[in-house]
Amino acid sequence: QKEVEQNSGPLSVPEGAIASLNCTYSDRVSQSFFWYRQYSGKSPELIMSIYSNGDKEDGRFTAQLNKASQYVSLLIRDSQPSDSATYLCAVKNSGNTPLVFGKGTRLSVIA
Amino acid sequence: GAGVSQSPSNKVTEKGKDVELRCDPISGHTALYWYRQRLGQGLEFLIYFQGNSAPDKSGLPSDRFSAERTGESVSTLTIQRTQQEDSAVYLCASSLAGQVGAVVGYTFGSGTRLTVV
């Protein structure tokens, strides 16, 4: 069974620090990886996608992928209280298959 | 439309009644997905439509659940004889075709919060 694992948290970081969110996946043929942010009571919104090994940066966000270790992470630099949310890792195989989501990590940025 | 639209936003129903949830995807998005999210839990895949292909129903939890989609537009998720364990937020998402090698993210609707009493 394809699984995506995340630490449920909460992960608490002070304002301005780097928040590091981690995710592991079980299916070696996974090809595309996504990070979604979900505020309480709201639907998930896509913030990053990555499919090649290495780092991908977008503003304060950096996604890191290591396919050999089946590990994907999200770094949030200069964390702000508005970053406080649950971050969902999602994984996709090739072709017409649905995303498999982790249960999410709750991040709390303390002002 | 500009985004994925779901209705109703909230639904309270009595145990044993049938409910129908509606999703209107982004225009041009050929793929449509239904997920369920119980309180404090992750997203649980239910069913997936891609163009005119047979839907992937592998996530439907029981035969009380069914879904239809008309072409590449509106989809309805029907839950028959609702049970209290069906209480959850039902999220619909759409995307461009999930082609091999493509990095295609989903756009989610705001969900339908179903409460079975």
Side-chain angles (χ1 to χ4, degrees), chain A residues 34 36 38 43 51 95-96 98-99, chain B residues 35 37 48 98 103-104 106 109:
Chain A
F34 304 85
Y36 284 80
Q38 187 174 28
S43 57
Y51 61 94
N96 295 331
L99 287 182
Chain B
Y35 285 80
Q37 188 172 33
Y48 161 42
V103 181
V104 181
Y106 300 174

Side-chain angles (χ1 to χ4, degrees), chain B residues 74-97:
Chain B
V74 172
S75 174
T76 55
L77 176 69
T78 301
I79 308 173
Q80 296 178 311
R81 306 182 301 281
T82 52
Q83 304 294 312
Q84 287 184 328
E85 71 229 32
D86 299 333
S87 296
V89 175
Y90 289 81
L91 290 163
C92 175
S94 70
S95 74
L96 295 170

